[in-house]
Amino acid sequence: MALTRSTSARTISRLSLYRRLLLPWQTEGVERIYSHQLAQAAGVSAAQVRRDIMELGHSGTPNTGYEVRGLIADIAACIDAPEGQQVALVGVGNLGRAILSYFGSGRKRGLVIVAAFDVEPEKVDRVLLGCRCYRPERMSEVIGAEDISVGIIAVPAEAAQTAADQLTGAGVTGILNFAPVPIKVPPMVYVDHMDITVKLETVAYFARRRKG
Amino acid sequence: MALTRSTSARTISRLSLYRRLLLPWQTEGVERIYSHQLAQAAGVSAAQVRRDIMELGHSGTPNTGYEVRGLIADIAACIDAPEGQQVALVGVGNLGRAILSYFGSGRKRGLVIVAAFDVEPEKVDRVLLGCRCYRPERMSEVIGAEDISVGIIAVPAEAAQTAADQLTGAGVTGILNFAPVPIKVPPMVYVDHMDITVKLETVAYFARRRKG
């Protein structure tokens, strides 16, 4: 695999997207695809697709199309942990439940949420959507025992920094933050932000201009 | 205001983010901020902040810092609709409820979800989190009557394209898609995608590399 320490987050995100687009084609029995087809579905240029696949080290060539099954396998070998990877969810409100329904115990492999944390007593020590919910004070213990490396923050804005501190204190090295505030983490920790407000304001801006 | 038809989605997204970062400072009584402070909070370069604010047409200068209140007002004048803007939500499951709790009737102004749509009979013709829920067949009628220009898709993957067709058929010109599949829309319609899988896989990739 040709991916290196310098591979950017944008490249990894595009490879993840390509896989998601390729999987339904594989299910439909499509054997080969061309870079321009994948590019159109992903909303990037065909040259970008070819560069990304070259960086991935996939052996196919653009001229004859890429073999769908082999490309999916090469993407998986690069971006997935072979032994799977455990995720913790902090906050089991409506958003947390939605996230659990995607990444909870229904997943057989890959990224799986194996522990949830919430301050509300009626959620603690219960199994919610197949996932055990703990009080936040047990984060270090549970994250260590379950070998969790990724945390998802789905708490209200005012609780986000505390959740981030608890996750990183417990040894998590990557955080996806859904709370509408930035969080501070140690330099070793990778953070990304799902910013619903920013996305919706941007869509609304362009929707107005196209209404005209 | 200096924003033009050619202003990019990335610029609008950064301006939206700057405002979200500025609002708590305003509340705390901070009067002026420097580009490097805003840049650090937003995770971009100070030069980028200065370019964006220049493109916005804000009259402050980087040397003395920007006036927080005036900058917020100029961003609002550029990216908000003066008369507010109405949004429709399709899908009132866990994710839809989470979105409603952010952008529902609790908001006095700006972007407000004024109508929700769901196929489940027990949700239709009820008020959920302050928002009336209709059957999807009524989308054209309701979207026209409420002057809705933005749609949010929060349905399962297999229902996303139908939701997109119904929204655009009803006259919506911007869509934020939370379903984990790409949607096809007419060229006039602006679409953005909240791709939770792609974000989480990217965070997990870098979390592993930093675990050591």
Side-chain angles (χ1 to χ4, degrees), chain A residues 16 20 173 188 195 201 207, chain B residues 16 20 173 195 201 207 210:
Chain A
S16 165
R20 234 221 7 247
T173 48
M188 266 295 290
D195 203 321
E201 289 189 350
Chain B
S16 166
R20 230 211 22 237
T173 49
D195 203 322
E201 289 190 349
R210 288 164 189 224

Side-chain angles (χ1 to χ4, degrees), chain A residues 53-113:
Chain A
I53 292 177
M54 199 187 300
E55 185 168 352
L56 180 69
H58 179 69
S59 59
T61 65
N63 295 339
T64 57
Y66 300 104
E67 202 244 317
V68 171
R69 187 173 301 271
L71 187 51
I72 290 172
D74 279 354
I75 293 174
C78 276
I79 70 176
D80 294 345
E83 66 287 3
Q85 196 168 357
Q86 290 72 252
V87 181
L89 170 70
V90 189
V92 197
N94 285 318
L95 180 60
R97 284 167 197 269
I99 296 166
L100 259 185
S101 67
Y102 280 115
F103 296 102
S105 56
R107 286 165 77 93
K108 295 282 175 292
R109 48 193 290 277
L111 285 166
V112 183
I113 298 172

